[in-house]
C-alpha cells in the first residue's frame, strides 16, 4: 500500500472529510526537511503548524522517547510519575507560573483555562452568569468551549448556540475592551500574537492596558501562547517580551515537538481556583508525553534556542521586508521572531499550493490573504535564503 495514489485514495475513502489535503504523502523528516514516499525533499516553513520546534529526527529528543517507551507509557492521574513532575518543574521555571495541568492538546488547555476563570468567579459570588471577553479574529480551537471564544463567525455558525456570556472586543483596541467590562466579567482571553487571524502581535500599550483592567476589576487575564509560545518570538513565551504576566496561560504545539501534549498554567489567585474533582483527563500528563516535554525544555535551555530565534528571526524579517518592497502584490509584513506573516492583495491559496507542488516548499496560510511563516526554530540563515529563493520564483510568475 506504499503507492502514493493508492494511499491518498484509501485516506479519502476512510477519513471523515473535514480537511482538503494537499496531494503529498510525507514519509520521514531530517532537520528542516521533509521527504515524501517518492523520495522528494521539501523545505519546511510550516513545522506542522508551529509544532516541530526542534525540527525532524533530533537524536537527543528521539533518544528520550525511545528510553521512555521501554519504561512506562501510561498509568493515569490516580498515581504520580517522574517525567510529569520533571516536566512540570521545568515548565513552571520557564514561565514563572505557580501551577500546571498537562493536557492532550492546545484546545483542551483552553478548556481548562476557561474553567479556571469560571470557577474563580463562582468561588467569589456563587453566580452562574459570568461573562468572558474574547477578541475578534482570534482562534483558540475547535471544541465547543474553545470555539465559543474564537472570534470568527465562519467557524462558529454551524455549531450555535455556543457557550453564553462571551463578548468580543477588537484586538489592540483598549477602548473596545473597556466598553465591555462589567461586574459579570470574569476573564479576558487573547492570543499574545494572533495567529490564524493574520499574525498580529499585541501592542505593548494594549497588553499592559488590558492587564491593568484585569487587576482593577479582579478579572483573570488568560493568554493563549499555544502557537506563539515556546521560544517562537525570541523569548520563551511571547508575553515575556512585554513584561505582562497572565493569571492563566495555555501552551501546546512545540511543547511536545510532535508528541500530543499541552498544558494550562496558573499564577497567584488563579492557582488555587480549582480543587479535586473540578477537572480531569485520562491521558494528559502521562509518562510518555511528559518525557517528551521534559526533553524539549532541556534542549531549549542547553542550545539557547531563544537567542538563536532572535538572530534568525531578525534575518527572516529583513528578507520578508525586502519582498514587500519588491512585489506589488505583497502589501505588508507582520510578526515577531519566527512567527511572521506576509499579507497579499490577492488570495494566497494558489501560492501556497504552487510552493508545495512546484518548489517543494512547505508554507501555510493565515486567513485568505496571509502566508504564515512558522518554521522549525532550528532553521539557519541559509534556510531562509533558500526559502526566499523558492518563493521569489513563484512571485515572479505572478507578476
Amino acid at each position: 500500500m506504499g503507492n502514493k495514489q493508492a494511499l491518498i485514495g484509501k485516506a479519502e475513502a476512510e477519513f471523515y472529510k473535514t480537511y482538503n489535503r494537499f496531494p503529498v504523502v510525507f514519509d520521514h523528516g531530517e532537520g528542516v526537511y521533509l521527504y515524501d514516499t517518492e523520495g522528494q525533499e521539501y523545505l519546511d516553513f510550516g513545522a506542522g503548524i508551529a509544532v516541530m520546534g526542534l525540527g525532524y529526527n533530533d537524536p537527543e529528543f528521539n533518544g528520550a522517547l525511545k528510553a521512555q517507551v521501554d519504561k512506562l507509557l501510561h498509568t493515569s492521574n490516580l498515581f504520580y510519575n517522574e517525567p510529569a513532575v520533571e516536566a512540570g518543574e521545568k515548565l513552571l521555571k520557564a514561565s514563572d507560573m505557580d501551577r500546571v495541568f498537562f493536557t492532550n492538546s492546545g484546545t483542551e488547555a483552553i478548556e481548562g483555562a476557561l474553567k479556571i476563570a469560571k470557577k474563580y468567579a463562582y468561588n467569589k459570588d456563587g453566580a452562574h452568569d459570568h461573562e468572558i471577553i474574547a477578541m475578534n479574529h482570534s482562534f483558540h480551537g475547535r471544541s465547543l468551549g474553545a470555539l465559543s471564544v474564537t472570534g470568527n463567525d465562519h467557524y462558529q455558525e454551524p455549531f450555535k448556540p455556543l457557550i453564553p456570556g462571551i463578548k468580543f472586543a477588537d484586538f489592540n483596541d483598549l477602548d473596545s475592551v473597556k466598553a465591555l467590562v462589567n461586574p459579570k466579567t470574569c476573564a479576558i482571553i487573547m492570543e499574545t500574537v494572533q495567529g490564524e487571524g493574520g499574525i498580529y502581535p499585541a501592542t505593548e500599550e494594549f497588553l499592559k492596558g488590558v492587564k491593568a483592567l484585569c487587576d482593577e476589576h479582579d478579572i483573570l487575564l488568560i493568554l493563549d501562547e499555544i502557537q506563539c509560545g515556546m521560544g517562537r518570538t525570541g523569548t520563551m513565551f511571547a508575553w515575556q517580551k512585554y513584561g505582562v504576566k497572565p493569571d492563566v496561560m495555555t501552551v501546546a504545539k512545540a511543547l511536545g515537538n510532535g508528541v500530543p501534549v499541552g498544558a494550562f498554567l496558573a499564577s497567584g489567585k488563579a492557582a488555587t481556583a480549582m480543587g479535586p474533582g473540578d477537572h480531569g483527563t485520562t491521558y494528559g500528563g502521562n509518562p510518555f508525553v511528559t518525557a517528551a516535554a521534559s526533553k524539549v525544555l532541556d534542549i531549549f535551555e542547553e542550545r539557547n534556542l531563544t537567542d538563536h530565534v532572535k538572530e534568525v528571526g531578525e534575518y527572516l524579517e529583513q528578507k520578508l521586508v525586502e519582498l514587500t518592497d519588491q512585489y506589488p502584490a505583497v502589501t505588508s509584513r507582520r510578526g515577531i521572531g519566527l512567527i511572521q506573516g506576509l499579507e497579499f492583495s490577492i488570495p494566497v491559496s494558489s501560492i501556497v499550493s504552487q510552493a508545495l507542488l512546484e518548489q517543494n516548499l512547505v508554507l501555510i496560510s493565515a486567513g485568505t490573504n496571509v502566508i504564515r511563516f512558522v518554521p522549525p526554530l532550528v532553521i539557519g540563515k541559509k534556510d531562509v535564503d533558500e526559502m526566499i529563493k523558492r518563493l521569489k520564483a513563484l512571485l515572479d510568475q505572478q507578476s
Side-chain angles (χ1 to χ4, degrees):
M1 203 177 79
N3 177 271
K4 170 183 163 182
Q5 290 307 322
L7 281 165
I8 292 174
K10 285 185 72 66
E12 288 298 302
E14 294 167 358
F15 296 163
Y16 209 108
K17 187 66 176 175
T18 59
Y19 284 98
N20 291 312
R21 292 178 169 87
F22 293 103
V24 174
V25 183
F26 286 126
D27 179 71
H28 62 281
E30 189 70 39
V32 298
Y33 286 90
L34 285 164
Y35 298 84
D36 67 16
T37 50
E38 298 177 324
Q40 289 196 72
E41 180 184 82
Y42 298 77
L43 177 59
D44 181 21
F45 262 66
I49 316 181
V51 167
M52 302 302 295
L54 304 180
Y56 300 94
N57 204 23
D58 183 279
E60 189 179 348
F61 177 71
N62 288 0
L65 295 188
K66 291 170 184 175
Q68 190 59 45
V69 164
D70 288 335
K71 288 181 67 178
L72 188 66
L73 291 180
H74 180 76
T75 62
S76 88
N77 284 298
L78 298 175
F79 313 97
Y80 301 98
N81 74 80
E82 190 173 3
V85 174
E86 290 178 351
E89 181 182 25
K90 293 167 188 176
L91 192 53
L92 291 176
K93 179 184 175 186
S95 63
D96 193 33
M97 303 291 277
D98 296 325
R99 295 280 178 172
V100 60
F101 184 106
F102 286 108
T103 66
N104 303 291
S105 67
T107 297
E108 289 185 26
I110 292 292
E111 295 290 332
L114 297 178
K115 286 179 72 174
I116 287 179
K118 284 181 168 286
K119 184 67 190 303
Y120 178 75
Y122 178 80
N123 289 344
K124 289 193 297 181
D125 60 19
H128 295 97
D129 58 351
H130 298 110
E131 297 176 353
I132 294 172
I133 298 171
M135 299 296 143
N136 287 315
H137 308 297
S138 60
F139 184 86
H140 297 289
R142 303 283 193 149
S143 63
L144 288 178
L147 198 57
S148 298
V149 293
T150 290
N152 186 317
D153 287 338
H154 172 72
Y155 292 145
Q156 289 188 340
E157 183 58 36
F159 306 105
K160 292 180 178 178
L162 298 171
I163 292 176
I166 311 296
K167 296 182 175 181
F168 289 93
D170 292 326
F171 193 63
N172 283 334
D173 182 346
L174 187 58
D175 286 339
S176 75
V177 180
K178 288 180 178 177
L180 297 178
V181 172
N182 66 70
K184 294 182 180 180
T185 308
C186 68
I188 299 174
I189 183 171
M190 69 179 80
E191 300 151 274
T192 320
V193 179
Q194 284 195 338
E196 295 278 342
I199 317 299
Y200 287 95
T203 64
E204 184 173 344
E205 178 187 15
F206 179 67
L207 199 54
K208 288 184 173 178
V210 171
K211 175 63 173 172
L213 266 179
C214 289
D215 290 345
E216 179 185 351
H217 296 280
D218 196 18
I219 297 167
L220 297 189
L221 174 61
I222 303 171
L223 291 183
D224 179 345
E225 294 257 344
I226 290 164
Q227 183 169 181
C228 63
M230 291 302 296
R232 188 153 288 280
T233 61
T235 52
M236 198 61 187
F237 300 103
W239 60 261
Q240 291 168 332
K241 276 187 173 297
Y242 302 83
V244 176
K245 184 178 175 181
D247 300 294
V248 183
M249 177 181 76
T250 59
V251 60
K253 289 192 181 287
L255 176 63
N257 197 54
V259 172
V261 58
F264 57 88
L265 300 94
S267 181
K269 60 193 179 186
T272 56
M274 291 204 292
D278 283 337
H279 200 56
T281 173
T282 296
Y283 294 110
N286 78 28
F288 182 69
V289 301
T290 50
S294 181
K295 180 51 67 174
V296 165
L297 290 160
D298 284 343
I299 291 172
F300 266 77
E301 189 170 355
E302 291 164 5
R303 301 182 194 173
N304 204 5
L305 270 185
T306 51
D307 280 354
H308 175 77
V309 169
K310 285 176 189 171
E311 182 183 348
V312 181
E314 286 176 6
Y315 187 73
L316 173 61
E317 183 175 318
Q318 171 193 329
K319 293 299 179 182
L320 294 178
V321 168
E322 291 173 8
L323 283 184
T324 64
D325 294 337
Q326 190 173 350
Y327 294 94
V330 184
T331 57
S332 64
R333 178 218 60 86
R334 295 184 294 272
I336 309 174
L338 292 180
I339 177 168
Q340 296 282 341
L342 270 190
E343 184 170 344
F344 286 71
S345 58
I346 56 175
V348 298
S349 57
S350 63
I351 299 173
V352 170
S353 180
Q354 285 178 288
L356 180 72
L357 302 177
E358 297 177 18
Q359 293 293 326
N360 287 27
L361 172 63
V362 179
L363 297 173
I364 56 177
S365 61
T368 58
N369 66 331
V370 175
I371 293 179
R372 179 181 2 179
F373 301 85
V374 283
L377 304 181
V378 295
I379 63 163
K381 293 179 181 178
K382 66 177 180 17
D383 302 311
V384 173
D385 290 338
E386 182 62 28
M387 181 276 291
I388 293 292
K389 174 185 170 185
R390 299 186 192 192
L391 182 55
K392 275 186 171 182
L394 285 175
L395 297 181
D396 287 339
Q397 293 176 24
Q398 305 278 327
S399 301

